[in-house]
Amino acid sequence: MTRIIKSLLPAALAVLLAGCSMQVTDRNTARYRVALVAKSEDAEFWKAVIVGAEAAATEYNMQLTVSAPDNEENYDEQNRLIEKAVEDGAQAIVFSAIDYEANAAAIDAAAAAGVTIIGIDSAVHSDHVAAYIGADNYGAGQMAAQSALDGTEGTLCVGLINYEVNGANGRDREQGARDTLAESGRAEIIDAVSTHPDSQSAYRDALTMLRAHPEINVLIALNETTAVGAAQAVEQLHRTDDLWLAAFDSNIQTLDALQSGAADALVIQNTYGMGYFGVESAFKLLAGQGSSVEKSSITTTRIITRDNMFAMDKQKALFPFG
């Protein structure tokens, strides 16, 4: 599904992004055409990315097209959307890969056609990505594991709930968590599963894991949908008091879980910033300002718990454009 962003967002929206450069651009510049090919348009994570991309497109007077496959496993559809963006005349593609390897050929072909490629959120195995903007996913996995080490005592019996096994994000987050737990000397990984990137699959797999291994006292869920499903499983089994759930991303369900005790820590990414800086980088590269664009830019991640979730800086992270 593809849509053209026609409405202008209020200029004040962009101000809400901490550290966002608000430089004045030449409004007489010809409108560059940029395509954002995301993993989804439905998840709150991607809605925030799209809002950030829209704000940058408005500020820099760019024509923005947004598209995404029908689910976060459909890399074939993503490849078709990349091809369509090239056919439709996109001068730059801002892209987050579902599959690190399987999306590479389509990205290489787009670059060969003269399209500027900017990666966000999840990397792709291509040498033709001009700039990448995203979280330190290995470090984010470390943060999730460290929250459990800091928040619990004794031996940690850990279950890992991952997603999109061929994506760079999930792979790096899991490795960061595994390394941190191993280095602690007080944690054992009891089970790990890669589930489909939807909350119902994550719920079923987390429920199965916890029933098979009741000794698990820490769950780490590595993206938004697995976070929602894992929290539902914790509530279903009445484990809110004796199990630590560290999870990712902010939406109504994960925030409710944090308040209720079903989740204990959330790793929050700068989703708005990924979209904003991705489109801003596209403008600068197309406008001949490539010297001001970093090859790799790491966006901020924060760990949020019930103890700090109402602090002003944490509220800005949880609600980046609210």
Side-chain angles (χ1 to χ4, degrees):
M1 45 188 167
T2 304
R3 57 193 178 95
I4 303 291
I5 306 303
K6 296 180 178 177
S7 60
L8 297 180
L9 292 174
L13 185 61
V15 179
L16 293 174
L17 176 60
C20 176
S21 61
M22 293 298 294
Q23 65 191 54
V24 177
T25 62
D26 181 0
R27 298 305 178 184
N28 295 320
T29 301
R31 298 188 76 199
Y32 294 118
R33 298 183 300 279
V34 58
L36 170 60
V37 181
K39 293 181 182 178
S40 167
E41 292 186 73
D42 299 325
E44 292 302 316
F45 180 102
W46 289 107
K47 289 177 181 178
V49 170
I50 292 167
V51 170
E54 291 172 352
T58 298
E59 181 180 348
Y60 289 97
N61 193 30
M62 302 179 77
Q63 179 180 314
L64 175 67
T65 301
V66 176
S67 62
D70 54 359
N71 68 72
E72 293 192 33
E73 293 178 301
N74 196 345
Y75 60 81
D76 283 330
E77 176 65 6
Q78 257 199 332
N79 289 339
R80 190 192 68 78
L81 292 171
I82 293 166
E83 294 171 2
K84 186 175 188 303
V86 175
E87 292 170 0
D88 291 345
Q91 295 163 285
I93 293 175
V94 179
F95 176 67
S96 178
I98 287 176
D99 192 298
Y100 181 72
E101 298 288 350
N103 286 129
I107 287 296
D108 287 344
V115 178
T116 298
I117 307 296
I118 298 93
I120 62 168
D121 173 56
S122 185
V124 63
H125 190 192
S126 172
D127 294 330
H128 300 292
V129 176
Y132 174 79
I133 300 101
D136 172 4
N137 286 294
Y138 180 87
Q142 290 181 303
M143 291 173 68
Q146 191 62 49
S147 76
L149 290 164
D150 293 342
T152 60
E153 297 179 350
T155 300
L156 277 62
C157 298
V158 182
L160 300 175
I161 311 292
N162 207 340
Y163 66 103
E164 54 171 294
V165 68
N166 295 320
N169 283 11
R171 177 198 65 198
D172 293 347
R173 291 173 191 174
E174 180 170 335
Q175 193 60 54
R178 284 180 177 274
D179 289 348
T180 298
L181 294 169
E183 290 165 7
S184 74
R186 48 180 282 247
E188 178 185 359
I189 295 175
I190 304 300
D191 198 4
V193 62
S194 290
T195 189
H196 297 292
D198 64 81
S199 60
Q200 281 304 303
S201 295
Y203 165 71
R204 290 191 295 268
D205 287 340
L207 206 60
T208 298
M209 178 187 290
L210 292 174
R211 283 171 171 163
H213 302 284
E215 71 274 25
I216 288 176
N217 57 15
V218 171
L219 271 184
I220 299 177
L222 293 163
N223 82 331
E224 179 182 335
T225 55
T226 58
V228 172
Q232 291 171 342
V234 170
E235 290 179 334
Q236 175 70 24
L237 295 176
H238 306 291
R239 297 289 308 274
T240 57
D241 293 331
D242 68 340
L243 184 148
W244 183 279
L245 172 59
F248 274 70
D249 299 330
S250 170
N251 62 26
I252 291 173
Q253 294 99 321
T254 58
L255 292 180
D256 284 348
L258 191 62
Q259 288 188 282
S260 72
D264 299 279
L266 296 177
V267 178
I268 303 299
Q269 304 173 76
N270 187 353
T271 50
Y272 180 101
M274 291 180 199
Y276 182 93
F277 292 122
V279 172
E280 180 186 61
S281 296
F283 173 84
K284 290 180 177 180
L285 288 163
L286 292 171
Q289 302 172 19
S291 61
S292 65
V293 177
E294 296 289 337
K295 179 69 175 177
S296 179
S297 299
I298 302 302
T299 53
T300 304
T301 54
R302 294 177 173 87
I303 196 82
I304 295 181
T305 66
R306 279 185 299 282
D307 293 336
N308 66 20
M309 68 182 295
F310 293 108
M312 182 60 69
D313 63 324
K314 303 303 187 293
Q315 286 286 295
K316 289 180 179 178
L318 290 169
F319 305 104
F321 52 91

